[in-house]
Amino acid sequence: MSSAKKSAVEKSTADFGKVAVLLGGRSAEREVSLMSGRNVLLALQAQGIDAHAFDPAEKPLWALKDEGFTRVFNMLHGRGGEDGTVQAVLEMLGIPYTGSGVAASALAMDKWRTKMVWLSTGVPTPPYQIIDARTDWMQLAETLGLPLILKPVHEGSSIGITRIDRADPKHLAEAYAEAARHDPLVIAEAFVRGEELTAAIVDDCALPLVRIVAPGGDYDYEHKYFSDDTQYFCPSGLPEVLEERIRVQALEAFRVLGCRGWGRLDVMLRGDGQWFFLESNTVPGMTAHSLVPMAARAAGMSMEALCLTILKGVVSEHVA
């Protein structure tokens, strides 16, 4: 690289200032957050960004100001990092950050209220019911049909989720108790049989869809982050027109929640061609098995370029 080009690159990376990569935290998704954050940290440092790991479980967020950080790349998954909490603190500190703002983060983390917004704006999502220990389990199975999914309203990464295949009150009560162990608010959702897809959003653009084929159709925590048995297809193999329609609506579903910057939406495509959005993730995984980097690669974007694009979004979004 010529001295002039090297100087230009150094100036460009210096414009970001000192960047904190928030990782770890105290949520149930701490382990995944550590993996994601380390990958982002390495990608930023490889491009000369003055990036450093910062774990809020080890020191308070206000230390960001004391240590001179000027930007934050948020890779905290789950509650405390993805629900508007850390976003509110960063805004109080006056430190720009990646991803969605306070209100959108809180809304997207809440599966119940996300569904209410989507249904009111014409975004398809599976039928559901909020449940508690007094729920009539047999009536629930009759109303939503079988199989059905029980899950905590405010968790991610498939934590606390159970698929119910038979109308067994004891099994349903146990599945509810497992979900309630993670969150007092629990949702039951009709199971959609079909292709499992994900739509990544980066820089106000829906990237190529990823089609997921997990062993036994069970894309759980283990199969998401640690198993090599799950198959991923990107390009998805769907007809071009169908994929484009899903991508267009994915961007609409993301925007209607007020989300910005980057994220990921989980989608189920039924055999008759109807699709349903399950949830929106405002701080998706960036591990070796994660889906946003996979979609970015299909769009011709390396991990380093992906992280830089997300970080640049901070500058355009928050800095005059």
Side-chain angles (χ1 to χ4, degrees):
M1 182 184 295
S2 69
S3 59
K5 285 185 178 179
K6 184 176 180 181
S7 176
V9 169
E10 288 174 348
K11 181 181 184 304
S12 174
T13 57
D15 287 344
F16 293 109
K18 187 178 180 182
V19 177
V21 177
L22 296 190
L23 76 178
R26 294 184 175 86
S27 82
E29 298 181 65
R30 173 178 173 80
E31 184 179 9
V32 179
S33 175
L34 287 169
M35 292 189 293
S36 292
R38 288 167 186 149
N39 283 351
V40 169
L41 181 65
L42 291 173
L44 294 177
Q45 290 175 339
Q47 297 170 99
I49 305 292
D50 184 20
H52 306 264
F54 189 103
D55 187 346
E58 297 177 353
K59 49 187 173 181
L61 283 169
W62 59 79
L64 289 164
K65 204 75 171 175
D66 298 337
E67 296 178 19
F69 287 104
T70 55
R71 302 281 186 277
V72 161
F73 198 120
N74 180 28
M75 283 312 306
L76 293 172
H77 300 316
R79 280 183 278 189
E82 202 168 351
D83 60 0
T85 305
V86 74
Q87 290 80 3
V89 174
L90 292 172
E91 293 197 6
M92 291 291 290
L93 292 173
I95 302 176
Y97 55 89
T98 54
S100 296
V102 177
S105 297
L107 178 56
M109 190 70 189
D110 188 318
K111 297 177 179 66
W112 176 27
R113 290 168 177 85
T114 288
K115 281 176 169 290
M116 287 193 284
V117 171
W118 278 348
L119 288 170
S120 70
T121 55
V123 175
T125 188
Y128 71 94
Q129 183 177 319
I130 295 297
I131 61 174
D132 59 31
R134 299 164 297 177
T135 296
D136 183 329
W137 302 120
M138 298 306 288
Q139 182 62 48
L140 175 71
E142 184 178 335
T143 301
L144 294 181
L146 293 171
L148 57 81
I149 304 293
L150 267 60
K151 54 188 174 182
V153 166
H154 299 98
E155 284 291 356
S157 294
S158 299
I159 290 171
I161 290 182
T162 304
R163 171 175 158 169
I164 304 296
D165 292 299
R166 64 184 189 279
D168 179 343
K170 182 175 182 294
H171 186 42
L172 278 157
E174 289 172 350
Y176 165 76
E178 170 60 19
R181 189 168 67 84
H182 300 278
D183 187 350
L185 199 56
V186 177
I187 192 169
E189 181 181 76
F191 177 75
V192 178
R193 196 180 303 279
E195 300 280 6
E196 188 155 3
L197 309 168
T198 199
I201 309 293
V202 175
D203 198 23
D204 204 37
C205 177
L207 300 183
L209 298 180
V210 179
R211 181 166 58 90
I212 304 155
V213 180
D218 186 11
Y219 192 45
D220 61 6
Y221 184 86
E222 177 68 22
H223 289 141
K224 278 186 177 180
Y225 298 110
F226 302 105
S227 173
D228 291 323
D229 296 329
T230 302
Q231 295 179 286
Y232 302 98
F233 298 91
C234 191
S236 67
L238 298 181
E240 187 175 337
V241 172
L242 176 59
E243 166 146 349
E244 182 60 23
R245 288 174 60 202
I246 296 173
R247 287 168 66 179
V248 167
Q249 190 162 49
L251 191 54
E252 292 173 0
F254 188 70
R255 287 171 173 166
V256 79
L257 298 178
C259 298
R260 69 186 181 205
W262 75 301
R264 197 193 77 232
L265 295 97
D266 298 330
V267 190
M268 290 299 298
L269 175 63
R270 207 165 55 189
D272 63 2
Q274 175 62 58
W275 61 85
F276 299 86
F277 289 91
L278 304 182
E279 60 185 87
S280 178
N281 302 273
T282 54
V283 186
M286 295 283 264
T287 73
H289 289 80
S290 290
L291 303 168
V292 174
M294 197 178 301
R297 284 196 300 272
M301 191 183 303
S302 67
M303 180 66 171
E304 290 77 16
L306 170 62
C307 292
L308 189 59
T309 298
I310 294 169
L311 190 61
K312 282 179 177 177
V314 173
V315 175
S316 62
E317 193 71 54
H318 298 279
V319 180

